[in-house]
Amino acid sequence: MRIGIIVFPGSNCDHDCRFVTRDLLGEPTLSIWHKETKLPPLDLVIIPGGFSYGDYLRPGAIARFSPVMDAVIDFAKQGGYVLGICNGFQILVEVGLLPGTLLRNHSMKFICKTISIRVENNQTPFTSQYQSGQVLSIPIAHAEGNYFIDPSSLKDLNKKKQILFRYVTKTGETSEGANPNGSVEHVAGLCNEAGNILGMMPHPERASDPLLGGDDGIGVFRSLQAAQAKDL
């Protein structure tokens, strides 16, 4: 599986993602600078977390205009797998590859802690290695993770099973107390209608090695490995 990780000025989770894909999973992984205008042959593009361009204006608002993004859009429209994590999720929304928007956290504070999310749909290239309803323990670290979308579009996301993760309690129930940022319907991650693009605020790469306290997140990457093997 050939993987490219897009690096913007201010990205800070690209090394973590590369450690997971290259060192833990043994997949060839390239770092791709944001000024590139073409992508090499790839099976997966990861847009990692961080503070692209310092999050000036708003997260992802400047990164969306980086030269590499036209190539990422073409790659996604051709069916290539794209995974956006935290700031990567914000960039995918800004560029229009995923619907909705990400607002300031309800508390108006930056939140960095481990939370629980529930797998809502395991019939996707990003979640096949999980059980539907499985509760995962994964870190978050963001100030703008409050997902919002209009009621009609939200209904459509539910109907098409595009919401893949929701914030829940440790025992798997949704509650306002378990929703760290105020996201509508507790949304923590969703895919596009075609199912080849995932954006999620929690950091699966920070929960992929037991040495770091847990490996609940590595299922996202192993699911992509399985999907690629199935495609061959």
Side-chain angles (χ1 to χ4, degrees):
M1 188 177 198
R2 296 158 297 185
I3 300 168
I5 301 175
I6 308 298
V7 182
F8 299 93
S11 296
N12 63 17
C13 298
D14 48 310
H15 291 276
D16 303 312
C17 289
R18 189 169 65 233
F19 173 74
V20 174
T21 58
R22 184 190 64 186
D23 300 327
L24 294 182
L25 300 184
E27 300 289 1
T29 303
L30 300 172
S31 293
I32 300 173
W33 186 232
H34 72 113
K35 287 190 175 181
E36 297 293 337
T37 56
K38 295 181 179 178
L39 297 177
L42 297 171
D43 301 302
L44 167 65
V45 168
I46 297 176
I47 304 181
F51 302 92
S52 58
Y53 296 91
D55 275 359
Y56 290 115
L57 298 182
R58 63 179 179 272
I62 300 176
R64 64 168 294 187
F65 295 108
S66 282
V68 75
M69 288 310 297
D70 284 339
V72 172
I73 291 170
D74 289 342
F75 175 81
K77 289 184 175 178
Q78 292 170 14
Y81 296 126
V82 179
L83 170 61
I85 302 168
C86 197
N87 193 214
F89 184 14
Q90 295 160 339
I91 294 169
L92 291 176
V93 168
E94 286 287 335
V95 83
L97 287 175
L98 289 172
T101 192
L102 289 149
L103 307 173
R104 292 291 304 271
N105 295 341
H106 187 68
S107 64
M108 301 299 285
K109 296 179 180 178
F110 184 91
I111 302 172
C112 181
K113 65 178 183 180
T114 297
I115 49 82
S116 297
I117 58 174
R118 186 178 66 206
V119 179
E120 301 293 87
N121 177 5
N122 71 342
Q123 302 297 308
T124 80
F126 302 94
T127 55
S128 67
Q129 300 304 297
Y130 294 116
Q131 299 296 315
S132 187
Q134 184 175 347
V135 177
L136 313 176
S137 182
I138 291 187
I140 57 169
H142 58 250
E144 290 90 3
N146 180 358
Y147 184 74
F148 177 80
I149 195 168
D150 66 88
S152 175
S153 298
L154 179 61
K155 184 178 180 181
D156 209 35
L157 288 180
N158 278 306
K159 181 180 178 181
K160 296 175 181 175
K161 299 184 178 180
Q162 290 174 240
I163 299 171
L164 305 193
F165 300 109
R166 278 192 169 90
Y167 299 109
V168 293
T169 65
K170 291 183 178 179
T171 52
E173 296 83 22
T174 56
S175 76
E176 291 306 314
N179 185 346
N181 47 39
S183 289
V184 63
E185 277 198 12
H186 316 275
V187 172
L190 69 144
C191 67
N192 63 328
E193 186 173 351
N196 63 306
I197 305 171
L198 168 65
M200 61 188 297
M201 291 309 297
H203 286 263
E205 80 282 7
R206 295 185 185 177
S208 289
D209 187 336
L211 285 174
L212 297 178
D215 60 355
D216 282 359
I218 201 167
V220 172
F221 301 96
R222 285 183 173 152
S223 295
L224 286 162
Q225 269 189 316
Q228 174 58 20
K230 188 177 179 181
D231 290 342
L232 294 176

